[in-house]
Amino acid sequence: MLKAYKYRLYPNEEQKNYFANCFGCARFIYNQMLSDKIDHYKETKQMLNNTPAQYKEAFPFMKAVDSLALANAQQNLERAYKNFFRDKSIGFPKFKSKHRSKASYTTNNQGGNIRIEDGKIKLPKIGCVKLVQHRTFQGKIKSCTISMNKSGNYFISILVESADETPQLVERKIGIDLGISDFAITTNDLGETEKHKNPKPLYKSEKKLKKAQRSLSLKQKGGKNRNKARLKVAKKHEKIANQRKDFLHKLSKKITDENQVIVIETLSSKNLMKNHKLAKSIGDAGWYEFVRQLEYKSKQKGRTLIKADRFYPSSQVCSSCGHRDGKKPLNIREWDCPTCGEYLDRDINASKNLLALAK
Ligand SMILES: [Zn+2]
């Protein structure tokens, strides 16, 4: 089983320079190879098979960085091509930009040249870099991706191969409705319903972000203060992303720890629209990320994740008697079933209907 662990890195100045070179070279070789592939295809209608080694003579500065960083850039490019050929809607591989693309490079463990010792990680070509490991792992390091975010913090994501654990089966089943005022509403087969609120600190951070964005928009272009303001906005964005991720990880862990069968609605453009309209106060509500986490955690723990058909009328049917009432506008949050008289809360009712799909 492969699992990634992400930690903060604290490189010294020399190491920061080295990382900047690696980011730059990985981006450079990617773009160079992409551009040559495009030209070659225009001329010959054939795909060019190029490798980083062919470029080292012409661009000797690339010799200073980890050659695996370049090999991984090549692999990324090939993956981007493969994805494009598999599904044209993904789009043709794009050139990487210094400002818009993520600054990162990947290197591989070869014969133990990457290892963690005394709060430091040993990396090819640069030696030991300080890291803060808030949790440890068991297993063999396969590869590492070093990255820098917009506010200049460094991270390392370590891919680890570990023995498969035999999953512990549990009994419970749960239905999850993704909500608007609450992030998610769940009902399990014991009839326990829970509303999981969006974390309050998120709203606070959101307010601060808006303030920082306003202040940035007032700064003159090219002015000294503009960069400062931009950095502030980037930091607020990161804070929100971290708070949201933290919340989603806790919730997806709890749900996959406690339940054997998990039913969730399929995200469609329709409910993303409702998400966009009504949940925009907290920005992207993180539904996609939440479903992604439920997917991989279910896989790790041997759970069954069922995605309801996108046309499954989870909010139109009475969960008590099965009477189908037809579509209801989003502002209708509760009603009494005209057939059996049961009082229905829209989100709880939907989570119960989703639970009914658990086998
Ligand atoms: Zn009813």
Side-chain angles (χ1 to χ4, degrees):
M1 184 176 69
L2 288 173
K3 220 174 152 181
Y5 297 84
K6 196 173 179 182
Y7 305 113
R8 239 347 242 279
L9 271 187
Y10 294 90
N12 61 29
E13 285 310 310
E14 184 199 349
Q15 292 166 337
K16 281 182 189 171
N17 285 335
Y18 173 75
F19 287 157
N21 275 340
C22 290
F23 299 153
C25 285
R27 188 177 60 237
F28 176 81
I29 193 71
Y30 184 100
N31 287 342
Q32 199 67 32
M33 290 177 75
L34 174 56
S35 138
D36 287 347
K37 275 185 199 298
I38 293 172
D39 291 347
H40 185 79
Y41 186 80
K42 273 186 195 152
E43 281 165 29
T44 65
K45 299 282 166 227
Q46 300 276 317
M47 183 76 170
L48 175 67
N49 286 315
N50 44 1
T51 67
Q54 296 161 346
Y55 294 82
K56 281 195 180 169
E57 214 48 53
F59 306 104
F61 58 86
M62 289 199 300
K63 290 179 186 162
V65 306
D66 188 347
S67 59
L68 287 166
L70 307 175
N72 280 297
Q74 177 193 2
Q75 277 193 9
N76 287 344
L77 177 59
E78 276 161 17
R79 204 170 308 130
Y81 262 98
K82 225 178 249 167
N83 287 339
F84 167 69
F85 288 130
R86 183 175 46 81
D87 178 0
K88 292 281 186 320
S89 73
I90 288 171
F92 190 76
K94 285 183 192 66
F95 286 98
K96 295 205 181 293
S97 129
K98 184 169 182 181
H99 298 290
R100 285 188 312 276
S101 307
K102 190 165 181 160
S104 80
Y105 79 93
T106 298
T107 183
N108 305 72
N109 188 12
Q110 290 186 324
N113 63 346
I114 299 178
R115 55 180 184 271
I116 297 176
E117 284 167 353
D118 309 325
K120 288 181 174 170
I121 183 158
K122 189 173 175 297
L123 292 170
K125 281 215 161 180
I126 189 65
C128 295
V129 183
K130 194 179 157 204
L131 92 165
V132 171
Q133 227 182 341
H134 51 282
R135 54 179 179 155
T136 53
F137 56 81
Q138 296 285 321
K140 195 174 163 254
I141 297 177
K142 299 280 289 177
S143 66
C144 292
T145 298
I146 292 99
S147 62
M148 185 187 79
N149 69 10
K150 295 264 188 287
S151 31
N153 299 322
Y154 292 80
F155 297 89
I156 188 162
S157 173
I158 306 174
L159 195 64
V160 177
E161 179 151 52
S162 56
D164 288 345
E165 299 152 36
T166 343
Q168 285 269 313
L169 298 186
V170 289
E171 291 213 341
R172 295 278 72 79
K173 298 170 181 175
I174 197 164
I176 309 169
D177 181 60
L178 296 172
I180 293 151
S181 45
D182 300 301
F183 177 76
I185 300 87
T186 58
T187 301
N188 69 10
D189 56 342
L190 292 177
E192 295 165 342
T193 284
E194 243 182 292
K195 293 192 167 187
H196 303 273
K197 296 210 167 311
N198 282 301
K200 277 219 175 82
L202 209 52
Y203 291 97
K204 260 192 197 160
S205 307
E206 182 90 0
K207 264 193 191 157
K208 285 185 186 160
L209 169 66
K210 288 216 170 108
K211 210 175 136 196
Q213 280 169 331
R214 256 198 314 275
S215 140
L216 170 62
S217 69
L218 294 173
K219 298 281 181 294
Q220 227 162 16
K221 260 196 180 156
K224 244 190 271 165
N225 291 326
R226 192 173 163 88
N227 236 351
K228 257 195 207 162
R230 196 176 7 232
L231 195 65
K232 214 170 181 179
V233 169
K235 280 195 170 156
K236 302 269 182 268
H237 266 299
E238 275 153 22
K239 185 162 184 195
I240 288 176
N242 287 339
Q243 284 174 329
R244 182 179 288 121
K245 255 201 163 150
D246 187 53
F247 164 71
L248 296 178
H249 272 301
K250 280 184 185 142
L251 186 56
S252 61
K253 177 178 188 304
K254 181 174 151 54
I255 287 171
T256 50
D257 274 349
E258 293 173 356
N259 299 282
Q260 189 58 37
V261 184
I262 298 154
V263 190
I264 192 150
E265 54 188 311
T266 301
L267 295 182
S268 65
S269 49
K270 190 184 79 189
N271 49 34
L272 285 176
M273 266 303 284
K274 109 184 162 186
N275 170 30
H276 181 71
K277 262 194 218 155
L278 291 150
K280 72 174 172 224
S281 64
I282 54 154
D284 159 26
W287 288 359
Y288 268 118
E289 172 62 14
F290 183 58
V291 174
R292 187 190 72 83
Q293 291 180 6
L294 284 177
E295 269 168 350
Y296 84 78
K297 289 181 189 181
S298 293
K299 212 167 157 195
Q300 280 171 5
K301 298 175 193 174
R303 308 298 187 227
T304 307
L305 180 72
I306 298 171
K307 289 186 182 174
D309 186 283
R310 70 181 55 192
F311 300 109
Y312 181 61
S314 60
S315 52
Q316 298 175 28
V317 170
C318 167
S319 58
S320 179
C321 72
H323 170 75
R324 186 164 172 177
D325 223 5
K327 273 193 181 164
K328 289 198 163 30
L330 276 168
N331 58 346
I332 308 283
R333 308 308 307 167
E334 51 189 5
W335 63 91
D336 293 319
C337 172
T339 304
C340 71
E342 180 86 4
Y343 163 78
L344 301 171
D345 170 294
R346 184 184 187 109
D347 300 327
I348 297 175
N349 183 52
S351 71
K352 284 182 180 168
N353 283 328
L354 287 162
L355 172 67
L357 298 179
K359 288 177 194 82

